[in-house]
Amino acid sequence: MFESLAEKLQSTFKKLRGKGKVSEADVAEAMREVRMALLAADVNLKVVKNFVAKVKERAIGQEVLDSLTPGQQVVKVVHEELVALMGGTSSKINMSQKPPTVIMLVGLQGAGKTTSVSKLALYLRKQGRKPLMAACDVYRPAAVKQLQVLGNQLDIPVFSMGTGVNPVDIARGAMENAIATGRDTLLLDTAGRLHINEELMGELKNIKSTVKPHEILLVVDAMTGQDAVNVAETFHEQLGLDGVILTKLDGDARGGAALSVKAVTGCPIKFVGLGEKAEALEPFHPDRMASRILG
Ligand code: GDP
């Protein structure tokens, strides 16, 4: 994860750390390299500009340059600003006081939605909750079956009505089923499309207004970089998101989406997918990510 970005930044800061005294020119040179590394990592251009400007402003302050370990101090500033860029603290799921809490997962086809529904259900069960998964993706033929298979493997119930039913009715049915069977958390697997279109958004808006989810999470593929950020922007404008699940971070050497999503959309990344297995989902911790990038 983030290997190529981490390698570049770490080599920049190794040079800086080695210096007994750091001049403004040294900081400027380091920031030029940071800027190039972030752009190569496919971080949003505006985000890069703001980030570098902020770090520069703080790093050429006398406190840093006059300190005994100026190189170290610059790295500390970069670390703090990376954490802030990714949202500061980790964000939790909004849980309803009155069960069931309804969590709706949305996203484009192939992003990892169905997989993430089951991963999140497993994660929540480990927290002592009683999840029910609902198969509202009637568009991709194998999705219902896929969720049922995952539910069987994890021993988590799945509500489905096949593929011939309107997803809004399935969501409503799932809600009634959750109440009747005493499940306190309902996870909706909704349909994706290859691209964002009106039909997709219309369907998602209908489900939203019918079941009034407490949490809408967008699932996006980290490997698609700025495309993922653009998708998040559009979904947030049209549907209103509470957060993002960033999948396939295990294969993402660059980190552009992870570093841009919050700054561009205002939506926090709440979870990251780190592999295909059901256990490969973790809450997103900006500070740990920053440490990973800076070594
Ligand atoms: P959907 O169309 O959005 O429901 O996508 P799926 O859940 O079917 O996932 C598409 C593919 O991505 C599957 O092969 C998943 O195993 C894979 N996948 C999902 N999340 C991750 C992840 O975090 N890491 C990796 N390496 N693969 C993932």
Side-chain angles (χ1 to χ4, degrees):
M1 192 204 302
F2 302 163
E3 301 84 356
S4 70
L5 175 62
E7 202 180 300
K8 284 186 193 140
L9 292 183
Q10 286 170 24
S11 106
T12 296
F13 293 130
K14 203 169 159 208
K15 282 184 263 171
L16 213 58
R17 274 196 180 113
K19 289 181 189 272
K21 245 186 148 18
V22 171
S23 66
E24 273 194 43
D26 293 331
V27 172
E29 170 61 14
M31 287 311 119
R32 202 181 60 80
E33 289 180 16
V34 168
R35 184 173 191 276
M36 281 182 348
L38 291 174
L39 289 175
D42 200 20
V43 178
N44 175 284
L45 180 62
K46 227 163 120 189
V47 171
V48 175
K49 279 190 176 159
N50 284 340
F51 178 81
V52 170
K54 251 190 219 158
V55 172
K56 224 180 198 167
E57 191 189 308
R58 288 185 60 192
I60 56 174
Q62 288 312 310
E63 258 165 87
V64 171
L65 298 183
D66 292 346
S67 84
L68 288 176
T69 51
Q72 222 83 298
Q73 294 301 319
V74 176
V75 179
K76 189 165 162 267
V77 169
V78 172
H79 185 278
E80 284 170 9
E81 292 298 334
L82 278 179
V83 174
L85 188 64
M86 289 184 279
T89 52
S90 54
S91 316
K92 296 208 160 55
I93 288 185
N94 300 306
M95 291 295 179
S96 163
Q97 296 288 355
K98 186 170 161 272
T101 293
V102 181
I103 305 170
M104 178 174 170
L105 270 70
V106 300
L108 295 182
Q109 202 164 303
K113 212 174 334 92
T114 305
T115 312
S116 297
V117 167
S118 64
K119 284 177 172 177
L120 190 56
L122 178 65
Y123 173 86
L124 293 171
R125 189 177 65 190
K126 285 184 184 161
Q127 312 257 303
R129 303 190 70 90
K130 290 195 279 181
L132 170 69
M133 306 191 282
C136 304
D137 182 356
V138 296
Y139 193 82
R140 183 163 66 89
V144 175
K145 182 85 194 137
Q146 187 185 344
L147 196 64
Q148 282 165 339
V149 169
L150 291 166
N152 267 336
Q153 283 169 1
L154 302 172
D155 199 20
I156 294 175
V158 173
F159 181 86
S160 70
M161 294 170 79
T163 52
V165 184
N166 185 327
V168 177
D169 293 333
I170 302 175
R172 199 184 285 121
M175 184 81 178
E176 286 162 7
N177 185 273
I179 294 167
T181 58
R183 312 303 294 184
D184 60 19
T185 318
L186 173 61
L187 294 123
L188 303 177
D189 185 21
T190 62
R193 300 286 191 276
L194 289 176
H195 306 284
I196 295 172
N197 61 30
E198 268 177 42
E199 191 194 357
L200 168 67
M201 283 301 169
E203 181 178 307
L204 297 175
K205 283 176 191 166
N206 280 341
I207 297 177
K208 179 183 175 182
S209 62
T210 306
V211 295
K212 305 195 171 46
H214 303 94
E215 180 91 9
I216 303 182
L217 295 174
L218 172 72
V219 179
V220 282
D221 176 347
M223 308 246 281
T224 61
Q226 281 314 296
D227 280 346
V229 179
N230 295 336
V231 166
E233 220 177 355
T234 309
F235 268 86
H236 189 42
E237 273 164 21
Q238 301 228 2
L239 202 63
L241 300 172
D242 297 291
V244 170
I245 300 181
L246 194 60
T247 62
K248 310 187 196 181
L249 214 61
D250 49 308
D252 179 22
R254 304 199 293 167
L259 288 169
S260 314
V261 163
K262 175 67 171 48
V264 173
T265 66
C267 275
I269 297 170
K270 292 196 173 175
F271 289 92
V272 290
L274 295 164
E276 295 192 75
K277 294 218 173 75
E279 293 78 19
L281 182 86
E282 286 179 10
F284 181 69
H285 294 291
D287 53 341
R288 286 187 211 163
M289 284 294 155
S291 301
R292 228 181 158 123
I293 293 168
L294 295 176

